Amino acid sequence: MIKIMKYSDFSREEIFAVKENIVDVSGIVSEIIKNVRENGDKALYEYSLKFDKAELSSLEVTDEEIEEAFASVEPEFLDILRKAAENITAFHEKQVRNSFIMSDKEGIVTGQKVTPIEKVGLYVPGGTAAYPSTVLMDSIPAKIAGCEEIVMVTPPSFGGKVNPVILAAAKIAGVTRIFKVGGAQAVAALAYGTESIPRVYKIVGPGNAFVAEAKRQVYGQVSIDMIAGPSEILVIADGSSNPAHCAADLLSQAEHDKLASAVLVTDSEELAQKVSEELERQIPLLPRAEIARASIDNNGKIIVAEDLDKVIEISNEIAPEHLELMVDNPFDLLSKVKNAGSVFMGRNCPEALGDYFAGANHTLPTSGTAKFSSPLSVDDFVKKIQYTYYTEDALRKVAKDVAFFAHKEGLDAHAKSAVIRTEEI
């Protein structure tokens, strides 16, 4: 049963305690990366047989396989995928940054050039599960950014096939190439390249503990989006909220993973009790009841605070991945939200809207990292190049200032590089 905690009766340490469920896989991942670097495709074939029970004849998904998968997906779902893609595209097109140039001072031009990362890799979980939403969320911003090569890796299922809905989503989103590789070995292949899989410059996308650790270890060789932890939801609800809705939304994340975190923060003790009862009613009805039960019992909590100001303060300290504002005037509270990955406003906006359809990205910071990081966006697929131009006259006017600054840092060659030109003039 979920814990109910009255804020005034517990210490901060107890209120904000997070169970550590860390399994150290760094050694295993290090060996996998080393093997892929040394043996390339050979290692990938061996790992596919070992981990996925798939004996592959080739790593890359062919055009024929993509067309066959596309034809096998029901037209109704293809239409839904297209609608979701349209929403995601419309949202992310607003994020596009423009280059700029400054030339307001005579003889001086400075500016910034925004340019796409040429090659990016997308990790999409697969095997027994299928997440076409992740395909759309990770590839559409890359496409909008202008990335030339979008390489997707995803584990094959038994028999060496990729789930058809994954391939259908990839076709709709415009993924360039797709490979039947998962796990830490897929991350290593993207980071270092093999005979079949091209090396990329950035890797994005969620995965299990092995994938997360692999991303951590290859960072520096390539860029990464984030190290994603277990899924989280925090629901802020007042006494007028429907307890069945609150419970359903908490369970929408609890069913992800036994390590997932579902938290309700409210100013109503009555609502807290009713939500607890509703959870007990709804959990046994879920196909993934065992997972949801473990998540709720081990990581779930209901925090009761004296008012909504304190509720928001608690939420900002937790910095949840998903935040629901289940109140009548959510925009009044939004201005007070400082730390959250994605915010869902009002009583008719379940987090599932964001997972699949609304358009805002669902690849989000977890484990409190929303205090300093952001959802995946077009910004993740571009880089900025800055430039500076000075004429002779413009340099002459500032050369002594530059040299003075350089001398203060003890860098005489820096100073000389500026004044030598004025001496020649």
Side-chain angles (χ1 to χ4, degrees):
M1 181 174 289
I2 198 166
K3 296 181 290 292
I4 299 178
M5 310 173 75
K6 192 171 182 180
Y7 186 77
S8 58
D9 294 345
F10 291 83
S11 68
R12 283 182 57 84
E13 288 73 21
E14 292 172 301
I15 290 290
F16 298 113
V18 176
K19 285 193 175 181
E20 294 289 337
N21 294 288
I22 298 173
V23 178
D24 185 5
V25 297
S26 58
I28 298 171
V29 169
S30 180
E31 284 299 316
I32 291 173
I33 292 173
K34 181 175 182 289
N35 190 11
V36 172
R37 290 187 69 180
E38 292 177 354
N39 297 301
D41 283 358
K42 180 175 181 290
L44 298 180
Y45 282 116
E46 290 172 352
Y47 285 130
S48 289
L49 189 58
K50 179 179 180 180
F51 296 133
D52 304 312
K53 304 297 184 285
E55 188 168 359
L56 303 176
S57 57
S58 66
L59 296 172
E60 186 162 10
V61 176
T62 65
D63 291 341
E64 290 76 18
E65 287 177 293
I66 294 171
E67 293 302 325
E68 179 184 342
F70 201 80
S72 71
V73 177
E74 58 265 52
E76 181 183 5
F77 186 58
L78 292 177
D79 287 341
I80 293 170
L81 282 175
R82 292 188 185 99
K83 290 175 185 176
E86 289 173 4
N87 293 339
I88 296 165
T89 299
F91 182 89
H92 289 81
E93 281 178 341
K94 296 293 185 183
Q95 299 174 340
V96 174
R97 292 179 180 268
N98 295 318
S99 301
F100 66 81
I101 186 168
M102 299 169 59
S103 57
D104 52 318
K105 295 180 180 178
E106 186 177 353
I108 301 173
V109 179
T110 55
Q112 179 175 275
K113 176 185 175 185
V114 178
T115 184
I117 298 173
E118 295 172 63
K119 300 177 183 180
V120 297
L122 314 178
Y123 188 93
V124 177
T128 57
Y131 298 103
S133 57
T134 297
V135 179
L136 300 181
M137 293 290 182
D138 289 358
S139 56
I140 289 175
K143 197 75 175 176
I144 291 170
C147 301
E148 293 178 12
E149 197 163 358
I150 303 172
V151 181
M152 189 178 94
V153 292
T154 189
S157 59
F158 181 78
K161 295 287 188 179
V162 174
N163 193 300
V165 296
I166 294 288
L167 296 183
K171 179 178 172 65
I172 287 171
V175 173
T176 311
R177 301 176 72 183
I178 306 168
F179 293 90
K180 306 172 186 177
V181 185
Q185 61 271 25
V187 175
L190 290 172
Y192 294 99
T194 70
E195 299 91 328
S196 298
I197 300 178
R199 178 196 167 200
V200 301
Y201 303 147
K202 184 163 189 173
I203 301 171
V204 307
N208 61 19
F210 293 91
V211 172
E213 177 60 27
K215 288 170 70 177
R216 191 192 309 275
Q217 291 191 24
V218 301
Y219 177 68
Q221 172 70 18
V222 293
S223 179
I224 62 172
D225 53 347
M226 63 187 77
I227 305 294
S231 189
E232 308 161 357
I233 187 169
L234 189 150
V235 176
I236 288 176
D238 59 19
S240 300
S241 299
N242 185 319
H245 296 177
C246 293
D249 291 0
L250 293 172
L251 291 173
S252 73
Q253 295 307 295
E255 73 170 352
H256 263 301
D257 188 336
K258 292 181 179 180
L259 302 181
S261 168
V263 177
L264 170 68
V265 191
T266 180
D267 60 351
S268 168
E269 291 188 47
E270 182 182 2
L271 179 73
Q273 189 59 47
K274 287 182 177 179
V275 170
S276 176
E277 294 167 1
E278 191 62 33
L279 285 168
E280 294 307 303
R281 187 187 71 80
Q282 291 188 28
I283 288 173
L285 305 177
L286 296 173
R288 296 168 68 90
E290 181 185 357
I291 294 171
R293 167 59 65 195
S295 170
I296 291 296
D297 289 354
N298 296 327
N299 306 308
K301 64 181 72 171
I302 298 175
I303 303 169
V304 182
E306 60 264 31
D307 54 41
L308 285 180
D309 285 338
K310 179 58 71 174
V311 166
I312 286 288
E313 182 184 317
I314 294 167
S315 174
N316 282 329
E317 180 63 26
I318 294 173
E321 177 188 17
H322 307 97
L323 171 61
E324 289 190 10
L325 302 179
M326 202 178 289
V327 295
D328 286 332
N329 300 302
F331 288 95
D332 292 345
L333 291 186
L334 181 62
S335 62
K336 299 178 182 180
V337 174
K338 297 177 181 178
N339 304 317
S342 193
V343 184
F344 302 86
M345 313 279 286
R347 305 193 189 278
N348 301 298
C349 194
E351 181 276 330
L353 271 173
D355 268 352
Y356 303 118
F357 201 75
N361 209 285
H362 81 190
T363 301
L364 304 168
T366 62
S367 308
T369 59
K371 291 176 181 175
F372 52 80
S373 57
S374 307
L376 190 75
S377 71
V378 173
D379 285 345
D380 285 289
F381 298 100
V382 299
K383 55 192 179 72
K384 293 92 175 178
I385 301 171
Q386 59 188 32
Y387 56 89
T388 304
Y389 169 80
Y390 272 58
T391 64
E392 286 184 359
D393 287 343
L395 174 61
R396 185 186 298 113
K397 292 175 183 176
V398 301
K400 289 183 179 179
D401 292 342
V402 174
F404 198 104
F405 210 137
H407 284 308
K408 282 293 182 183
E409 294 193 347
L411 299 173
D412 292 349
H414 278 63
K416 185 65 174 179
S417 71
V419 298
I420 192 173
R421 288 170 165 78
T422 63
E423 291 168 355
E424 291 172 353
I425 294 169

